[in-house]
Amino acid sequence: MPNFLPINTILVPQGAEYKAVCRGLSGITASIPTIVAIPVGMKPLLKYLQQGQFLTPKSRVLIMGICGSLSDRYTVGDIVLYQNCVYQGKQQECDHTFTAQLHSSLSEKVSLVKSLTSDRVIWSAPEKRRLGETLAADVVDMEGFTALEFFNAARVSVAMLRVVSDDCQHNIPDLTPAINSDGCLNPFILAIVMLRQPLAATRLIRGSLTALKVLEQVTNLLFSGSSNK
């Protein structure tokens, strides 16, 4: 086995999250999975997956990245492992065996959570708390449900490991207008959005940097531990 799980492919949102995972794997001497940068958002991701070559039977896909907290229990820098994702009343499950193996290898550092996938950035603290309470979800992202629906239909095992980058106590800037239809961030619109809300922007940047550092560390931990298991 190339690594103890074994994981064939890591999917991670393009940009800073992808770079953090690559840094985490950079010093690993054992065999490592293929790392694929994916677009941000549900529609761009679905389009990308439909074009991709991810449908090898018995493959295992690990989705990594950052997420937002919908609960007081989870704060910036916390590592979370998804049990499932909900979107508009529907639910998709992560692979139980795969998730349990990841949980056992990271048990002291990771929490099992329920996730909400959103087609826009959930930026306001009151909305985050309301969604967390009404949907019994712990965290939110913009890709999870789409990925699970796609891979579950293809019978590809999926687990999701993310790091919290923003809590549910503070607003962050609404980055939705800065996400292009192809799932890339528009730097010009992003800059305008951030400048309009400097305090929220500063908080988002600080939280993201913390989360990205943890993402790098947990990637390294997961795969550096694999050679001696």
Side-chain angles (χ1 to χ4, degrees):
M1 288 197 303
N3 48 57
F4 73 103
L5 286 168
I7 299 164
N8 307 79
T9 308
I10 297 174
L11 301 186
V12 57
Q14 59 198 2
E17 294 163 83
Y18 175 77
K19 289 175 185 169
V21 169
C22 288
R23 282 196 303 272
L25 291 171
S26 62
I28 305 297
T29 52
S31 176
I32 59 171
T34 305
I35 316 165
V36 179
I38 57 172
V40 174
M42 300 182 74
K43 284 182 182 172
L45 177 60
L46 180 59
K47 187 177 174 186
Y48 179 80
L49 291 175
Q50 287 169 339
Q51 297 166 346
Q53 306 297 314
F54 303 110
L55 296 180
T56 47
K58 298 189 177 174
S59 60
R60 282 178 146 191
V61 174
L62 176 62
I63 296 170
M64 302 185 77
I66 60 179
C67 61
S69 174
L70 302 177
S71 162
D72 290 332
R73 292 192 298 276
Y74 305 103
T75 189
V76 173
D78 285 352
I79 305 165
V80 294
L81 187 60
Y82 289 13
Q83 293 173 297
N84 54 48
C85 285
V86 295
Y87 174 70
Q88 293 186 347
K90 294 178 286 186
Q91 182 168 303
Q92 290 284 337
E93 299 286 326
C94 294
D95 184 275
H96 296 293
T97 305
F98 189 5
T99 301
Q101 287 174 328
L102 284 167
H103 189 241
S104 69
S105 69
L106 298 167
S107 54
E108 292 164 26
K109 300 176 176 66
V110 67
S111 303
L112 288 167
V113 296
K114 300 183 178 196
S115 168
L116 165 69
T117 299
S118 172
D119 53 13
R120 61 186 174 85
V121 174
I122 307 297
W123 59 271
S124 94
E127 186 181 15
K128 285 186 180 188
R129 291 193 295 272
R130 180 179 63 76
L131 287 169
E133 287 161 14
T134 56
L135 299 174
D138 303 301
V139 297
V140 61
D141 69 39
M142 295 181 70
E143 300 86 24
F145 184 89
T146 300
L148 278 179
E149 190 172 50
F150 179 83
F151 287 118
N152 285 346
R155 301 195 172 161
V156 173
S157 299
V158 179
M160 294 202 203
L161 185 67
R162 291 193 182 240
V163 180
V164 175
S165 62
D166 51 283
D167 62 30
C168 67
Q169 299 299 323
H170 304 94
N171 294 347
I172 59 169
D174 182 5
L175 304 181
T176 306
I179 302 171
N180 292 336
S181 60
D182 63 355
C184 295
L185 279 173
N186 181 314
F188 179 69
I189 298 174
L190 180 64
I192 293 170
V193 168
M194 300 287 256
L195 286 168
R196 279 184 187 148
Q197 298 170 278
L199 273 175
T202 303
R203 193 176 292 117
L204 174 66
I205 292 165
R206 193 181 297 134
S208 297
L209 289 172
T210 299
L212 291 166
K213 188 67 188 167
V214 175
L215 183 62
E216 179 186 336
Q217 290 166 347
V218 73
T219 304
N220 186 272
L221 179 69
L222 194 57
F223 291 96
S224 62
S226 64
S227 55
N228 51 36
K229 295 238 173 181

